[in-house]
């Protein structure tokens, strides 16, 4: 192979040097970096000077007057080059408003929207004490952001004449915290790019054009090492399908040429489909991964699995049942027909209707193992989950559906219905209640929920070990990235990377 000529080498070297200078200026101070801006810090003018003799206005919150009221709008974003996970926070973010008192705070904007729930949930969200605001440790992928709108009282150190805020008011807002391997910095409020960025950008464009002219031979840049082209099918658990679709979308966005299809036929169906494939994935051929809420049956000897995380599951009921807490023994008696009306359990006068998953469901296996401690009754007496339109003589009104979505559709629609589903999906339904078990609520924070019984380990299975360099092998490696783990956390799943927060041997092979 002929060596590049001198002009090409010098141009490429100049291009690399420009990129390095820009990267140092942009990223090196902290590849893990949270930037913040005070986008607004202004007084709420309630008493116009020219109208004092005519009207007196007051600002009230919860029947208490707020004096010297101000509104501050702060924006926080991951503007570094690396995803930030909860474990990166050595000290959580705090905001101090010097000389003022925090009255209340809202989250008017967040990307992704799941951050709103993480920031505001009861018992673990935003807190304030005097002039200090405490922000919970939330994962931030690259370019994720959120905004906080804060209502304050008091003049503060940046106040101007007659209660107005001066241009230096932002100086009275300080942000603290500590990120391992990174930093937190105030981003300058500016109308355009800095001079250095403009100069580097202009130089980069000129050199890039010159290099492009010298390399018209058609050579292409190599793809990232995490990428591979090809076709991959992922099938199995319907409970894990939503986060898996988002993870697959993120991989496709990074890796051109990767075609990934995510199906949801149920855990055991996915395992059976994989077993019928009958060959390990290769670089040249298509790949197949089965996602399962339960270990593969022993008859599938060639399947090899990895534990990827823990799914928190929930017993769910229609809100009209009038219950939100059951013991494991009460649930067992519901499913054996001892209880047939919710009034027997101090709920409303409604017949109990069981909405179950079919035999291919891993969620059903987890429910039988963790809660019932036996198999569900096999009699299906209802087609529509509301009436005994299949078997009028059956003791229980019970139907079976083939996906998490279908189960939640039925529980949401049928008064008196009860079933079981993945926690995050259940929380999105307006008329569905996630039931506490033995007084314990389902939650992703394992440190507080070790006594909650209803959860299961999620497995990714392949037929034998995939060939190195294949799309299947590359995608499995991507599942261990911060991007994939943050997506799992947003869907209320606990990645196996969070070993210190999981019970004993949950994620061990």
């Amino acid at each position: 192979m002929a060596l590049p000529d001198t002009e090409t080498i010098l141009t490429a070297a100049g291009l690399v040097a420009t990129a390095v200078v820009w990267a140092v200026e942009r990223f090196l101070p902290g590849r893990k970096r949270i930037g913040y801006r005070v986008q607004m810090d202004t007084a709420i003018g309630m008493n116009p000077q020219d109208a004092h003799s005519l009207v007196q206005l007051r600002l009230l919150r919860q029947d208490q007057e707020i004096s010297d009221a101000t509104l501050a709008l702060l924006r926080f974003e991951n503007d570094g080059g690396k995803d930030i996970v909860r474990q990166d926070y050595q000290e959580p973010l705090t905001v101090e408003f010097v000389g003022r008192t925090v009255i209340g705070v809202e989250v008017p904007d967040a990307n992704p929207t799941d951050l709103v729930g993480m920031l505001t949930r009861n018992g673990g969200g935003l807190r304030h004490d005097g002039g200090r605001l405490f922000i919970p440790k939330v994962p931030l992928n690259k370019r994720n952001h959120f905004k906080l709108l804060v209502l304050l009282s008091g003049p503060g150190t940046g106040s101007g004449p007659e209660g107005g805020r001066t241009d230096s008011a932002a100086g009275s807002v300080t942000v603290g915290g500590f990120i391992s391997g990174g930093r937190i910095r105030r981003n300058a409020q500016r109308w355009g790019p800095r001079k250095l960025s403009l100069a580097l950008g202009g130089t980069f464009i000129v050199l890039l054009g010159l290099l492009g002219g010298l390399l018209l031979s058609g050579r292409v840049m190599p793809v990232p090492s995490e990428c591979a082209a090809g076709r991959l099918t992922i099938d199995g658990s319907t409970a894990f399908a939503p986060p898996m679709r988002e993870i697959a979308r993120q991989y496709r966005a990074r890796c051109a040429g990767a075609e990934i299809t995510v199906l949801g036929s149920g855990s055991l169906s996915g395992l059976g489909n994989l077993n019928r494939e009958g060959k390990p994935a290769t670089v040249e051929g298509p790949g197949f991964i089965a996602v399962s809420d339960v270990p593969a049956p022993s008859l599938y000897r060639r399947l090899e699995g990895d534990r990827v995380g823990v799914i928190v599951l929930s017993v769910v009921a229609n809100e009209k049942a009038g219950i939100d807490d059951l013991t494991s023994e009460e649930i067992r008696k519901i499913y054996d027909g001892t209880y047939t009306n919710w009034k027997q359990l101090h709920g409303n006068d409604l017949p109990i209707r069981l909405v179950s998953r079919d035999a291919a469901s891993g969620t059903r296996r987890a429910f039988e193992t963790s809660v019932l401690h036996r198999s569900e009754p096999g009699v299906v007496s209802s087609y529509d989950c509301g009436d005994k339109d299949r078997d009028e003589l059956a003791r229980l009104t019970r139907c079976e559906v083939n996906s998490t979505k279908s189960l939640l559709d039925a529980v949401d629609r049928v008064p008196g219905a009860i079933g079981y589903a993945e926690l995050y999906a259940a929380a999105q339904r307006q008329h569905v209640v996630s039931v506490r078990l033995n007084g314990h609520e389902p939650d992703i924070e394992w440190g507080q929920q070790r006594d909650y019984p209803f959860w299961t380990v999620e497995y990714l299975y392949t037929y034998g070990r995939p060939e190195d360099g294949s799309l299947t092998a590359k995608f499995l490696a991507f599942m261990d990235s911060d991007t994939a783990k943050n997506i799992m956390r947003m869907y209320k799943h606990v990645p196996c990377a969070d070993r210190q927060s999981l019970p004993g041997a949950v994620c061990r092979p």
Side-chain angles (χ1 to χ4, degrees):
M1 179 183 293
L3 293 174
D5 55 42
T6 303
E7 292 84 355
T8 300
I9 294 174
L10 291 176
T11 303
L15 191 64
V16 170
T18 304
V20 168
V21 173
W22 177 83
V24 168
E25 189 270 340
R26 179 68 178 87
F27 291 114
L28 192 59
R31 293 199 63 207
K32 292 180 181 178
R33 185 170 64 198
I34 294 179
Y36 69 93
R37 275 201 306 270
V38 181
Q39 295 185 315
M40 178 183 73
D41 192 359
T42 185
I44 303 176
M46 298 302 295
N47 294 320
Q49 293 296 318
D50 296 337
H52 276 179
S53 61
L54 298 176
V55 64
Q56 182 70 24
L57 302 178
R58 296 188 302 157
L59 179 64
L60 300 177
R61 187 175 186 271
Q62 297 178 348
D63 297 328
Q64 293 186 351
E65 183 174 356
I66 301 174
S67 60
D68 296 322
T70 53
L71 277 176
L73 181 64
L74 288 79
R75 175 188 169 98
F76 293 83
E77 64 181 342
N78 180 347
D79 63 351
K82 197 171 184 180
D83 296 336
I84 295 172
V85 300
R86 283 191 176 95
Q87 289 78 8
D88 290 327
Y89 293 88
Q90 300 301 307
E91 295 290 341
L93 297 175
T94 59
V95 186
E96 186 167 0
F97 299 90
V98 180
R100 289 182 282 176
T101 301
V102 179
I103 304 300
V105 59
E106 297 288 344
V107 185
D109 177 46
N111 179 28
T113 55
D114 301 83
L115 288 173
V116 176
M118 296 183 186
L119 288 164
T120 59
R121 68 174 180 221
N122 293 335
L126 294 161
R127 298 183 296 106
H128 55 84
D129 182 14
R132 183 167 293 182
L133 176 64
F134 301 91
I135 302 174
K137 301 176 181 179
V138 294
L140 290 172
N141 286 345
K142 289 182 289 186
R143 302 306 175 195
N144 284 177
H145 75 269
F146 61 88
K147 294 183 180 181
L148 303 179
L149 183 64
V150 188
L151 175 63
L152 305 118
S153 68
T157 60
S159 61
E162 299 176 351
R165 306 295 293 171
T166 69
D167 290 339
S168 63
S172 68
V173 180
T174 59
V175 175
F178 184 78
I179 298 176
S180 178
R183 66 170 180 156
I184 300 164
R185 72 165 191 176
R186 181 192 293 270
N187 290 333
Q189 190 87 11
R190 57 180 184 271
W191 293 103
R194 288 174 290 187
K195 293 180 180 179
L196 178 59
S197 296
L198 285 172
L200 290 172
T203 303
F204 188 86
I205 291 172
V206 171
L207 290 173
L208 184 64
L210 181 57
L211 184 62
L214 295 170
L215 296 178
L216 288 177
S217 58
R219 285 176 288 176
V220 296
M221 298 296 289
V223 298
S225 59
E226 68 184 14
C227 293
R231 289 184 294 113
L232 173 63
T233 300
I234 302 172
D235 190 14
S237 168
T238 63
F240 199 69
M244 185 58 81
R245 289 192 179 98
E246 178 60 20
I247 293 169
R249 188 186 71 81
Q250 292 283 350
Y251 187 89
R252 290 194 301 266
R254 287 166 167 78
C255 303
E259 299 179 19
I260 305 175
T261 302
V262 180
L263 307 174
S265 64
S267 294
L268 297 181
S269 292
L271 291 169
N273 293 337
L274 172 63
N275 192 62
R276 282 189 288 274
E277 284 287 305
K279 57 184 179 181
T282 63
V283 173
E284 300 297 330
F288 195 107
I289 295 174
V291 185
S292 178
D293 303 338
V294 293
S298 58
L299 60 93
Y300 297 150
R301 295 187 179 90
R302 295 297 306 276
L303 303 191
E304 298 195 26
D306 292 313
R307 303 185 183 207
V308 67
V310 169
I311 293 186
V312 182
L313 303 169
S314 176
V315 173
V316 293
N318 185 278
E319 63 180 2
K320 292 185 179 179
I323 57 98
D324 59 9
D325 196 341
L326 292 169
T327 67
S328 298
E329 183 60 26
E330 286 171 337
I331 292 174
R332 285 191 279 271
K333 289 185 177 180
I334 288 172
Y335 277 80
D336 70 14
T338 301
Y339 298 129
T340 58
N341 192 295
W342 288 115
K343 67 181 179 180
Q344 297 172 279
L345 294 163
H346 309 290
N348 296 325
D349 186 6
L350 277 174
I352 296 173
R353 298 174 171 96
L354 307 182
V355 183
S356 299
R357 293 291 304 279
D358 57 25
S361 166
T363 304
R364 172 173 169 173
R365 292 290 184 93
F367 177 67
E368 292 172 336
T369 302
S370 302
V371 182
L372 287 187
H373 301 312
R374 57 174 173 263
S375 298
E376 273 198 63
V379 176
V380 177
S381 60
S382 176
Y383 290 112
D384 65 2
C385 301
D387 300 302
K388 297 177 183 177
D389 50 4
R390 178 173 176 174
D391 185 353
E392 295 182 355
L393 301 179
R395 184 174 185 181
L396 300 171
T397 302
R398 180 177 179 272
C399 67
E400 287 187 358
V401 295
N402 63 1
S403 70
T404 297
K405 180 182 182 301
S406 297
L407 184 142
L408 290 171
D409 286 344
V411 174
D412 192 73
R413 170 177 51 86
V414 178
I418 184 173
Y420 41 84
E422 180 262 328
L423 174 63
Y424 180 86
Q428 313 307 309
R429 299 306 183 104
Q430 182 178 2
H431 305 298
V432 173
V433 175
S434 289
V435 178
R436 292 190 297 274
L437 289 181
N438 307 315
H440 298 286
E441 292 195 19
D443 197 281
I444 193 174
E445 298 295 342
W446 279 88
Q448 302 174 10
Q449 300 297 335
R450 294 180 185 275
D451 295 326
Y452 182 75
F454 194 15
W455 52 270
T456 188
V457 176
E458 199 67 32
Y459 297 83
L460 299 184
Y461 280 95
T462 58
Y463 192 95
R465 279 295 166 189
E467 183 180 356
D468 290 343
S470 66
L471 176 57
T472 302
K474 295 286 189 179
F475 185 82
L476 289 174
F478 184 71
M479 289 296 300
D480 198 40
S481 69
D482 285 343
T483 297
K485 289 181 285 192
N486 278 347
I487 291 170
M488 290 176 61
R489 294 183 187 106
M490 287 182 183
Y491 281 85
K492 305 300 182 187
H493 304 328
V494 187
C496 275
D498 298 350
R499 293 176 186 270
Q500 67 274 16
S501 64
L502 290 170
V506 165
C507 283
R508 295 177 189 168

